[in-house]
Amino acid sequence: MKKLTNYALGARGIRTRDGVVYLDPGETREFDPKTLVGELPDLGKKADAATTDTSEVDDLTAWVADLTKQVEALTDENAALTAERDGLATDKADLTKQVEALKKPAGK
């Protein structure tokens, strides 16, 4: 039996006589070498715990946090503009009523 472990970030398919068997990231299975068909896919290499580089993930996490702050700021700004628009609409309605009242002839 041959043990295969998928160290890649995505699922990898192992072709066998019975069909394709998918290995999820981190999954290990045993195969009879006689049942394997064709070449094995690139299963990656086991990462050393000391050399795990998370800088790219850290950069992306910081980027997401920054974008989240921008969205919150735009949402707050949009809410303020909506409130201002609603206030102006109310003022317009009030002014329109006043103008109509001033246009009416006196005594009627």
Side-chain angles (χ1 to χ4, degrees), residues 59-97:
D59 291 344
L60 290 173
T61 302
W63 186 37
V64 168
D66 184 49
L67 290 174
T68 302
K69 287 179 186 176
Q70 290 179 31
V71 168
E72 289 171 355
L74 290 172
T75 302
D76 292 344
E77 183 179 332
N78 188 30
L81 291 173
T82 300
E84 183 180 353
R85 181 201 65 207
D86 292 346
L88 291 174
T90 302
D91 291 347
K92 178 183 175 187
D94 291 343
L95 289 172
T96 301
K97 288 178 186 175

Side-chain angles (χ1 to χ4, degrees), residues 18-71:
D18 296 330
V20 178
V21 177
Y22 289 94
L23 294 180
D24 290 325
E27 184 178 1
T28 300
R29 286 199 191 174
E30 289 188 13
F31 293 90
D32 183 353
K34 295 176 186 173
T35 63
L36 297 176
V37 178
E39 293 184 24
L40 293 174
D42 181 10
L43 298 173
K45 294 181 181 180
K46 186 175 182 178
D48 295 334
T51 62
T52 303
D53 182 16
T54 62
S55 63
E56 189 172 328
V57 172
D58 295 341
D59 291 344
L60 290 173
T61 302
W63 186 37
V64 168
D66 184 49
L67 290 174
T68 302
K69 287 179 186 176
Q70 290 179 31
V71 168

